[in-house]
């Protein structure tokens, strides 16, 4: 029985490592650096290389909405949800960001808001860098108060 307790921490650490590797390699939501560091030096998919793109849909026409990340309004109301969505762009994190984006003052109110998170990928064949979509979500835009 003592041997079981002796090996239990090793088994748990191996299970955690394997689950982190699985999550980073299958759905792409988690960066290798955030996934326990496994493969963090072998990819350009780092948190700083991920991009969040916000678009408004006005009468079936999509228009990008510029979100100034240096604005004090952004720092106060949006930064936390923005970083969560960029680090782990699950549908629930994108939905929370979409709700928080309702605090933006826009000149025209969109019918829908579309949020995309893209990651940086390196193509060995052409030696070029491109962005591919990790996840995207469209939802009705709801203006909210501060």
């Amino acid at each position: 029985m003592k041997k079981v307790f002796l090996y239990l921490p090793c088994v748990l650490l191996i299970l955690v490592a394997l689950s982190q590797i699985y999550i980073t390699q299958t759905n792409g939501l988690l960066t290798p650096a955030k996934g326990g560091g496994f493969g963090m030096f072998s990819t350009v998919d780092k948190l700083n290389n991920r991009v969040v793109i916000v678009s408004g849909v006005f009468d079936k026409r999509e228009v990008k909405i510029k979100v100034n990340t240096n604005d004090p309004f952004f720092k106060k109301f949006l930064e936390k949800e923005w970083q969560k969505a960029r680090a782990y762009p699950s549908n629930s994190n994108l939905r929370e960001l979409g709700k928080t984006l309702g605090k933006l003052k826009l000149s025209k109110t969109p019918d829908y808001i579309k949020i995309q998170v893209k990651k940086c990928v390196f193509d060995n064949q052409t030696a070029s860098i491109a962005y591919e979509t990790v996840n995207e979500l469209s939802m009705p835009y709801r203006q909210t108060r501060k």
Side-chain angles (χ1 to χ4, degrees):
M1 191 65 171
K2 284 186 177 183
K3 283 188 177 186
V4 171
F5 288 118
L6 182 67
Y7 292 110
L8 186 62
C10 295
V11 171
L12 288 175
L13 287 173
I14 290 170
L15 288 174
V16 168
L18 290 175
S19 69
Q20 294 285 19
I21 292 170
Y22 176 77
I23 290 171
T24 61
Q25 298 302 311
T26 55
N27 62 15
L29 294 180
L30 199 62
T31 67
K34 288 287 185 183
F38 304 105
M40 66 188 284
F41 299 113
S42 63
T43 181
V44 292
D45 182 20
K46 307 271 193 279
L47 189 57
N48 291 340
N49 292 340
R50 287 201 171 181
V51 179
V52 179
I53 300 169
V54 179
S55 304
V57 179
F58 302 91
D59 300 322
K60 298 183 182 177
R61 195 181 64 138
E62 191 174 313
V63 177
K64 286 188 181 175
I65 298 172
K66 178 158 177 38
V67 179
N68 184 357
T69 56
N70 295 321
D71 188 341
F73 181 84
F74 175 85
K75 300 275 186 206
K76 185 174 182 181
F77 295 107
L78 300 173
E79 186 170 34
K80 181 181 173 188
E81 300 300 330
W82 189 274
Q83 294 300 338
K84 278 176 38 180
R86 194 169 79 161
Y88 192 74
S90 63
N91 284 343
S92 62
N93 283 346
L94 294 181
R95 200 172 297 110
E96 285 303 312
L97 176 60
K99 289 177 188 175
T100 309
L101 286 168
K103 295 178 182 179
L104 286 175
K105 293 181 182 176
L106 303 174
S107 57
K108 187 176 177 189
T109 304
D111 302 321
Y112 287 88
I113 194 161
K114 181 178 175 182
I115 304 166
Q116 293 179 305
V117 178
K118 296 190 174 203
K119 70 178 181 176
C120 190
V121 291
F122 181 75
D123 185 1
N124 291 333
Q125 303 297 323
T126 62
S128 63
I129 293 177
Y131 284 91
E132 86 181 20
T133 302
V134 178
N135 197 6
E136 67 179 54
L137 180 79
S138 293
M139 60 186 286
Y141 182 75
R142 301 279 187 261
Q143 188 84 31
T144 57
R145 295 180 186 242
K146 291 183 186 177

